[in-house]
Amino acid sequence: AYLMSGDLSSARTSTDDFVKSALSTADPQLHALAWDLKARVAMAENDLAAAREHIQNAFAILEKAEIPVAAWQAYATAWELYGSAKEQKVAEEYRARSERYILKIANSFESDEPLRKSFLNAAPVSRVLLKKAVNKTSRLPKLGQSASAQ
């Protein structure tokens, strides 16, 4: 909430507390999410070197454990980080990784499961998926119309 409101000082303090707490557990998902959050705060502070270091810490954890919920978020953060650094090819690779984990999570639900639709429609998730559509085509579906209907 602090990060979204622009209160970077409070965001940094709360994030540092979260990282300390998360790393005191044995839960690799909490570890990866903590490093992801730390990277996002560093990005907001325009400290790209620190953000890269923190996201690499998250990746080190993800290499050791299959954690789709943390993975899609960390790769989405890396997509933003490398995109802001004008490294578009690397950024797109991370967006594609994020998308693969998003779809893995979505496909773990039955196709008619309301949680599946809610997950795919969540703003951070749909942003990753929509960016692919924007990259592949300059035309987006009109409001209320599916892409296949055009």
Side-chain angles (χ1 to χ4, degrees):
Y2 289 129
L3 186 58
M4 290 179 73
S5 72
D7 183 352
L8 298 183
S9 177
S10 295
R12 186 180 335 96
T13 300
S14 293
T15 298
D16 289 344
D17 290 344
F18 174 57
V19 170
K20 184 178 178 180
S21 294
L23 296 180
S24 73
T25 73
D27 186 345
Q29 178 166 297
L30 282 178
H31 296 184
L33 291 172
W35 287 117
D36 174 68
L37 181 57
K38 195 148 175 84
R40 288 189 282 133
V41 170
M43 288 169 53
E45 295 175 326
N46 292 315
D47 187 350
L48 298 185
R52 286 176 195 243
E53 179 182 331
H54 301 318
I55 206 65
Q56 289 304 318
N57 289 337
F59 292 164
I61 294 160
L62 296 172
E63 287 175 9
K64 297 175 187 170
E66 177 73 11
I67 313 168
V69 172
W72 84 260
Q73 293 175 78
Y75 289 125
T77 297
W79 164 50
E80 292 178 31
L81 171 62
Y82 286 88
S84 70
K86 307 291 188 232
E87 297 179 44
Q88 298 308 324
K89 185 175 179 178
V90 174
E92 176 53 25
E93 289 171 11
Y94 285 127
R95 192 214 54 79
R97 285 185 188 186
S98 179
E99 177 183 25
R100 282 194 297 273
Y101 280 103
I102 287 169
L103 295 177
K104 185 174 193 165
I105 294 166
N107 291 334
S108 71
F109 295 106
E110 294 294 326
S111 61
D112 60 345
E113 169 62 46
L115 287 174
R116 181 183 201 276
K117 184 176 181 180
S118 293
F119 173 67
L120 291 172
N121 288 330
V125 170
S126 62
R127 194 170 145 271
V128 170
L129 300 176
L130 179 62
K131 189 61 177 180
K132 177 182 180 183
V134 170
N135 286 344
K136 291 202 174 206
T137 178
S138 60
R139 270 183 41 181
L140 294 176
K142 294 178 183 172
L143 289 178
Q145 187 176 30
S146 71
S148 60
Q150 282 198 342

